[in-house]
Amino acid sequence: MADFYGTAAGFRAYHIARGNDVPAEAADDDTVNEWLLVASEWLDGRYRPSFPGLKVGMRDQLREWPRNSAFDIYMYLVPSTSVPREVENATYEAALRQGQKAGALSVDYTPAKYKRAAVDGAVSVEYAGFNSAFDAQTQIPIIDQILFPILTGTGNVSALSGSTVRA
């Protein structure tokens, strides 16, 4: 199984078809493969809880796709022998951001200690906070839209998920 989703040629074709500005370095397959690796790692980390089904290769499989017993929003079975087009296209979108600015997908973030502070005879402080770690992560709406048809949205394995193994 591949270390990353998609191909360098697929990356270029995807962005050319959409008229996106691609860095000149994208002419080099090795460079694009580096971007695809970082993008694939980010995509798995960011969307893992919402992917339906179970990894085909279980613990031995590096990437989250392909998966067994995964269904899309229309209840069509996603083939367990390949990576869905949505995952590859989302990887191409994330890889472009990585190519445009190294580290763009993994921005370190240190929240401000205080949200608001006021001194009017007495000190009043309101601490900043997050609802979850998700709030501080890089969010790219077009990737959410691309992946929507194959996300469960539950953060758990689908109730229709399961696995059958021939002995």
Side-chain angles (χ1 to χ4, degrees):
M1 308 233 169
D3 288 347
F4 52 83
Y5 303 123
T7 64
F11 170 87
R12 287 188 285 273
Y14 175 88
H15 289 293
I16 287 169
R18 288 158 180 76
N20 294 336
D21 290 330
V22 177
E25 296 86 5
D28 177 44
D29 283 1
D30 289 338
T31 300
V32 174
N33 288 342
E34 290 172 10
W35 300 344
L36 291 172
L37 176 61
V38 172
S40 297
E41 291 170 341
W42 176 82
L43 198 77
D44 281 351
R46 172 85 165 68
Y47 293 96
R48 179 179 292 117
S50 297
F51 286 151
L54 301 166
K55 290 175 19 172
V56 171
M58 297 194 224
R59 301 261 327 135
D60 293 335
Q61 182 176 318
L62 181 61
R63 299 271 65 91
E64 289 295 318
W65 289 91
R67 296 174 78 82
N68 281 323
S69 305
F71 290 85
D72 68 11
I73 61 170
Y74 305 107
M75 297 309 296
Y76 293 118
L77 182 65
V78 178
S80 63
T81 55
S82 62
V83 174
R85 173 181 43 245
E86 294 91 345
V87 171
E88 287 189 3
N89 289 347
T91 303
Y92 296 147
E93 285 288 344
L96 178 62
R97 279 133 181 98
Q98 178 66 20
Q100 290 170 332
K101 183 179 179 198
L105 298 174
S106 301
V107 177
D108 289 337
Y109 177 75
T110 304
K113 186 175 180 181
Y114 303 110
K115 184 175 181 181
R116 187 179 324 148
V119 179
D120 291 325
V123 176
S124 174
V125 175
E126 183 179 337
Y127 292 93
F130 294 109
N131 294 331
S132 69
F134 179 83
D135 295 339
Q137 294 178 357
T138 301
Q139 296 182 32
I140 306 170
I142 191 167
I143 293 177
D144 293 341
Q145 293 165 9
I146 292 169
L147 289 175
F148 179 79
I150 61 166
L151 297 178
T152 63
T154 63
N156 296 316
V157 175
S158 166
L160 296 174
S161 295
S163 174
T164 303
V165 179
R166 176 176 256 163

